[in-house]
Amino acid sequence: MEMPKATDADKERFRSLVPDVPDVSVKPMFGNLGAFVNGNMFAGLFGGTIGIRLSPENRQQLESSERTVPFGPADRPMREYTGLPEIWNEEGDGDDARAKAWIHKAYEHVAGMPPKEPKSKTRTPGK
């Protein structure tokens, strides 16, 4: 499977859409980016596609009213994430406002989840 890489312009746009608040961190992930709150990803970049993790109600609302796309690899999209409509990448500032609003809903949803426990860094004996 070939992993699409985000362009510098894609990464810059993603960072501009993510809430600028102290508890959000944006980290590189496989040549793309992820936005995290309390260790949980609420938005990600996969090539030029932005995916967000919404409550089931908000996900249903977005998917029923817009031309959303799957988020992640074509053979294994991330089931809890919805890709924002690709046309929003092309239409200009008004769509950035819509993208920001939906990304903020994802942030609020995921911020309400329990913090993700850091993975143990212990090694298995003999390895």
Side-chain angles (χ1 to χ4, degrees):
M1 170 186 73
E2 190 169 320
M3 186 76 77
K5 303 287 188 223
T7 66
D8 288 342
D10 292 333
K11 291 176 182 180
E12 185 178 322
R13 178 172 182 259
F14 180 78
R15 284 186 177 100
S16 76
L17 297 173
V18 169
D20 185 17
V21 294
D23 62 345
V24 169
S25 60
V26 176
K27 301 176 188 177
M29 293 181 56
F30 312 108
N32 295 289
L33 295 174
F36 297 82
V37 59
N38 298 327
N40 295 302
M41 188 169 87
F42 66 91
L45 185 62
F46 189 75
T49 302
I50 296 173
I52 56 175
R53 185 174 185 180
L54 296 166
S55 68
E57 300 80 22
N58 281 336
R59 186 169 57 244
Q60 195 277 329
Q61 178 187 358
L62 178 61
E63 290 177 354
S64 67
S65 65
E66 300 289 345
R67 291 178 289 177
T68 59
V69 295
F71 181 70
D75 60 337
R76 250 185 112 186
M78 297 174 72
R79 63 181 167 81
E80 293 185 352
Y81 290 78
T82 297
L84 296 180
E86 290 178 343
I87 197 164
W88 288 6
N89 293 345
E90 303 161 3
E91 291 187 354
D93 291 338
D95 292 311
D96 278 356
R98 289 197 300 178
K100 262 187 178 181
W102 281 104
I103 292 169
H104 189 77
K105 285 183 185 204
Y107 162 75
E108 287 178 333
H109 169 64
V110 175
M113 296 178 163
K116 190 168 191 172
E117 295 295 323
K119 291 185 178 181
S120 171
K121 293 189 179 191
T122 58
R123 296 181 65 182
T124 306
K127 296 225 176 188

